[in-house]
Amino acid sequence: MAAQRKRLNTATLVLLPFWAVVLAAYVGTMLWTVQISFTASKLLPVDEYVGFAQYERLFGSTRWSVSMQNAVIFGVLFIGGALVLGFLLAVVLDQRVRFENTLRTVFLYPYAMSFIVTGLIWQWLMNPGLGIQKAVRDWGFTSFDFAWAVDRDMAIYALVLAGLWQASGLVMALMLAGLRGVDEEIWKASRIDGIPAWRVYLFVIVPMLRPLIVTAVVLLAISVVKAFDLVVALTNGGPGISSDMPAKFVMDNLFTRQNIGLATAAATVMLITVAAVLVPWIYTEYFRKARVGGTA
Amino acid sequence: MSTETATPRGPHAESARLAFDRGERDRGERPTSRGTTREGTTARGRKPKTLTIGRIGLYGFVVVAAAFFLLPAVVMVLTSLKSMPEIRDGSIFALPQSLDLSAWAKAWSSACTGLDCEGIRVGFWNSVIITVPSTIASIAAGALLGYALSFWRVKGADILFAVLLLGAFLPYQIFLYPMVRAFSMVGLYNTLSCIVIVHVIFGLPIMTLIFRNFYAGLPVELFNAARVDGGGFFRIFWNVMLPMSTPILIVAAILQITNIWNDFILGLVFAGRDNLPMTVQLNNVVNSTYGEREYNLNMAATILTAAVPLLVYFVSGRWFVRGIAAGAVKG
């Protein structure tokens, strides 16, 4: 008994530095950020409290509302698009096509590359004077328009397209693993009943893959919230502020515009938005199962 | 294969389906890679031998999709091999008239990132110097914590894990500014140690998660036996758990090397001018050049920056996918 207690103590001791790091680096910095957002800080943090003034400024700012709208547009199209495209790719690869391994490699390789690289590639493809637009116009389609990254109305869709190119393979890989785990009996049964394959996929397989789909949505949603690199590399938020995103809004106000109070207020709004979605998810995913005893 | 074909069919097995099965069997007997990935070959597809409209549509979609994913890489390589006049006059899809590697040489050794014109190689070596210690340290920390969380009952471990998970999903913007202040206070800001510590901190959640999941899958009896034999916390970790951890160590290394190499925002904020990683340098080369833009050089620099994670991807193959699955949080 005494020996066991000693061993437990070793484990407790080992956890202590981790506690320290987690409390300081995650909890502490988070609280500090929230605290700064209630002050009048500009270049450096000051202790002059101004209540919700920074938040009022924030919600009065056009740039912030554009950023939030863009986050919603990007989020919906990127997550939805990647799910649909990734799932289709997985289904196609599951039809015993030739060169399956090669195709899987082709669909997934962009995911190995950074968003900076992705953004720069698509910036070149969308180059107004020399990119794909020019090539297609030279073929005779003179009204073809693909200079999205420098087009105020299309810049956000340029980000979506580049994001889909980078991340759809991730969904494909997850879904393909799920499809390979589907019981053969289901396919036999559905064939005997004469149900067309697409209906089986849509109404039987998709519900079965629900946990994987949730995982994919979470992973994609993280990249939406963190969308900074891609924006910087592809459009830099422009033209003007037309493709700005919350993460970039915060970074600009923190490090170039010396508006710490406003930036931390914006970061806090991001935090609340994400936490509102996350906390219930983490709770059900990790803790309810343990407590109910595996019945969840 | 034999079990599959011997499966008795129901009375509804009409001739059409028998033909279907025969097609399957023919196909199944060929030594294809498919045979190894799934032993039951009952297809979910159409009959593979004849070309139905569905099959044509399927391949049509495959070709379009493959083109969508491959085209950017092809264009990137083509552009990097052309000369600037060639780029200006020709189509983006045109093949280079001659193999011109000068853009590559220039990108590597004399491209300008702001005022310095020493090429992307500076960023390359910075990234190497950042990635190696960060990967090792974050794997060590994650393995230790994951082991502690899965085998040792410590009070509050659940809470620690929950906070870690939250940290994995929250945007960096919430943590960045106070971290900058804290690092400046202790005089570490803008140093190599600073960026390495930051990578370890932000890598901790995912590393802990995958090691915890891995150790949770090992039989508890193993741990109990080691304890009966008198093994302590570190001895069990070092002599029992680590020798069994090779697969997850490989997965963790793949994940961290690609994550850290591909990082932009942390390097930008914490690394300091002398240690800027390759992604930051690349963005400076491409997006802040004054004067004429050299697209061939830009594309060569972009390929060079993507080369390390791509190499990891192509060499590791299925391990990379396993890394995705491991990172794809499962309780």
Side-chain angles (χ1 to χ4, degrees):
Chain A
M1 194 62 216
Q4 185 169 339
R5 244 179 66 201
K6 191 168 153 268
R7 260 185 250 129
L8 288 179
N9 282 343
T10 319
T12 313
L13 277 178
V14 169
L15 284 203
L16 279 182
F18 287 106
W19 268 111
V21 167
V22 165
L23 285 181
Y26 292 134
V27 183
T29 53
M30 196 191 299
L31 295 176
W32 196 350
T33 298
V34 175
Q35 183 254 331
I36 297 173
S37 74
F38 290 108
T39 66
S41 307
K42 282 262 182 210
L43 173 61
L44 289 172
V46 294
D47 281 337
E48 186 196 336
Y49 287 95
V50 292
F52 284 91
Q54 300 284 12
Y55 291 87
E56 280 167 28
R57 235 178 106 201
L58 181 71
F59 288 114
S61 141
T62 320
R63 196 177 158 198
W64 176 251
S65 54
V66 170
S67 299
M68 286 300 261
Q69 279 167 23
N70 281 340
V72 172
I73 297 173
F74 180 78
V76 170
L77 293 180
F78 171 71
I79 296 177
L83 281 181
V84 172
L85 184 55
F87 185 71
L88 281 178
L89 292 173
V91 168
V92 161
L93 286 188
D94 203 37
Q95 310 297 314
R96 37 178 72 246
V97 291
R98 281 159 187 277
F99 313 115
E100 185 201 313
N101 285 328
T102 315
L103 286 170
R104 202 170 38 200
T105 309
V106 165
F107 296 155
L108 189 57
Y109 85 94
Y111 189 68
M113 299 199 268
S114 62
F115 269 131
I116 288 291
V117 166
T118 304
L120 295 177
I121 296 173
W122 284 90
Q123 190 195 67
W124 170 232
L125 294 173
M126 292 178 182
N127 186 298
L130 299 169
I132 290 180
Q133 173 170 302
K134 183 202 168 214
V136 175
R137 283 187 181 177
D138 286 350
W139 292 338
F141 304 94
T142 46
S143 60
F144 181 76
D145 181 27
F146 195 59
W148 292 3
V150 291
D151 181 337
R152 188 171 287 276
D153 298 323
M154 295 303 286
I156 186 70
Y157 303 107
L159 294 173
V160 172
L161 185 63
L164 285 179
W165 179 77
Q166 203 259 2
S168 294
L170 162 78
V171 181
M172 182 275 298
L174 284 173
M175 296 296 160
L176 192 58
L179 290 178
R180 290 287 148 84
V182 169
D183 194 341
E184 290 297 335
E185 294 301 319
I186 289 175
W187 288 105
K188 284 182 193 161
S190 69
R191 227 177 11 249
I192 289 169
D193 290 343
I195 303 168
W198 67 269
R199 291 197 59 161
V200 181
Y201 274 115
L202 212 54
F203 297 111
V204 181
I205 307 293
V206 167
M208 286 173 67
L209 296 183
R210 204 194 71 95
L212 277 177
I213 296 173
V214 172
T215 303
V217 170
V218 170
L219 290 178
L220 295 170
I222 294 171
S223 20
V224 173
V225 178
K226 290 187 173 168
F228 172 71
D229 318 13
L230 183 64
V231 183
V232 168
L234 182 51
T235 66
N236 205 17
I241 55 166
S242 59
S243 63
D244 210 346
M245 292 272 221
K248 188 165 179 302
F249 179 95
V250 175
M251 294 299 286
D252 282 357
N253 280 295
L254 274 185
F255 296 108
T256 53
R257 310 185 67 169
Q258 267 104 37
N259 247 328
I260 294 171
L262 186 67
T264 49
T268 308
V269 173
M270 287 175 77
L271 166 71
I272 292 168
T273 317
V274 175
V277 181
L278 260 188
V279 172
W281 179 72
I282 288 191
Y283 180 75
T284 49
E285 190 80 353
Y286 290 91
F287 294 101
R288 200 180 51 159
K289 273 177 202 160
R291 274 174 206 158
V292 185
T295 47
Chain B
M1 221 110 298
S2 56
T3 56
E4 196 287 303
T5 48
T7 310
R9 298 282 156 188
H12 300 289
E14 296 109 50
S15 56
R17 206 175 307 114
L18 285 174
F20 180 92
D21 287 341
R22 219 171 298 125
E24 286 312 311
R25 218 175 302 142
D26 292 345
R27 163 102 186 166
E29 274 156 13
R30 265 192 279 145
T32 54
S33 62
R34 167 52 67 89
T36 58
T37 54
R38 186 171 60 208
E39 64 248 81
T41 49
T42 348
R44 49 211 56 180
R46 314 265 162 270
K47 192 157 122 194
K49 279 284 170 67
T50 50
L51 270 181
T52 60
I53 290 176
R55 205 71 192 157
I56 294 171
L58 186 77
Y59 274 100
F61 177 74
V62 168
V63 169
V64 172
F68 170 66
F69 285 98
L70 274 180
L71 201 71
V74 172
V75 165
M76 192 162 58
V77 174
L78 289 181
T79 306
S80 74
L81 295 173
K82 292 179 194 170
S83 63
M84 269 316 286
E86 215 180 325
I87 291 174
R88 249 179 264 115
D89 298 336
S91 156
I92 193 171
F93 300 120
L95 294 173
Q97 282 151 10
S98 62
L99 283 188
D100 182 2
L101 287 172
S102 61
W104 285 72
K106 209 176 160 194
W108 179 251
S109 55
S110 66
C112 295
T113 58
L115 293 175
D116 305 320
C117 292
E118 291 181 47
I120 199 82
R121 65 182 163 169
V122 181
F124 177 86
W125 291 115
N126 285 344
S127 277
V128 170
I129 292 167
I130 292 170
T131 304
V132 172
S134 306
T135 302
I136 295 170
S138 63
I139 290 176
L144 193 63
L145 186 53
Y147 158 74
L149 290 179
S150 38
F151 287 115
W152 297 85
R153 290 178 189 279
V154 184
K155 266 194 181 170
D158 267 6
I159 302 172
L160 180 66
F161 188 58
V163 178
L164 261 181
L165 275 182
L166 265 176
F169 296 128
L170 293 180
Y172 289 146
Q173 283 74 20
I174 315 230
F175 313 113
L176 286 191
Y177 188 73
M179 272 194 183
V180 169
R181 300 288 300 167
F183 277 112
S184 327
M185 278 180 211
V186 294
L188 276 178
Y189 185 49
N190 279 347
T191 63
L192 183 64
S193 339
C194 178
I195 180 68
V196 171
I197 293 171
V198 169
H199 273 307
V200 174
I201 289 174
F202 285 121
L204 195 57
I206 181 72
M207 287 297 105
T208 308
L209 189 71
I210 69 169
F211 278 100
R212 176 184 171 271
N213 288 352
F214 178 78
Y215 290 133
L218 292 181
V220 176
E221 290 76 21
L222 197 79
F223 175 72
N224 289 341
R227 264 174 69 167
V228 169
D229 288 348
F233 182 91
F234 286 105
R235 264 197 66 197
I236 296 179
F237 178 61
W238 195 256
N239 292 339
V240 182
M241 296 304 162
L242 267 192
M244 305 184 68
S245 307
T246 318
I248 201 68
L249 286 173
I250 297 175
V251 166
I254 293 171
L255 266 180
Q256 283 305 82
I257 293 171
T258 39
N259 281 348
I260 295 169
W261 192 276
N262 285 341
D263 159 69
F264 175 76
I265 187 168
L266 298 178
L268 181 72
V269 174
F270 292 100
R273 287 184 66 101
D274 298 333
N275 307 303
L276 287 179
M278 203 173 187
T279 47
V280 178
Q281 303 267 28
L282 172 72
N283 190 54
N284 287 346
V285 167
V286 177
N287 276 335
S288 62
T289 38
Y290 300 99
E292 196 204 29
R293 284 182 166 231
E294 296 173 88
Y295 298 107
N296 49 0
L297 181 153
N298 291 349
M299 286 300 110
T302 309
I303 298 170
L304 286 169
T305 308
V308 168
L310 278 181
L311 190 72
V312 171
Y313 172 63
F314 287 122
V315 170
S316 63
R318 274 166 198 261
W319 289 94
F320 187 87
V321 179
R322 247 201 249 186
I324 292 177
V329 280
K330 284 236 159 160

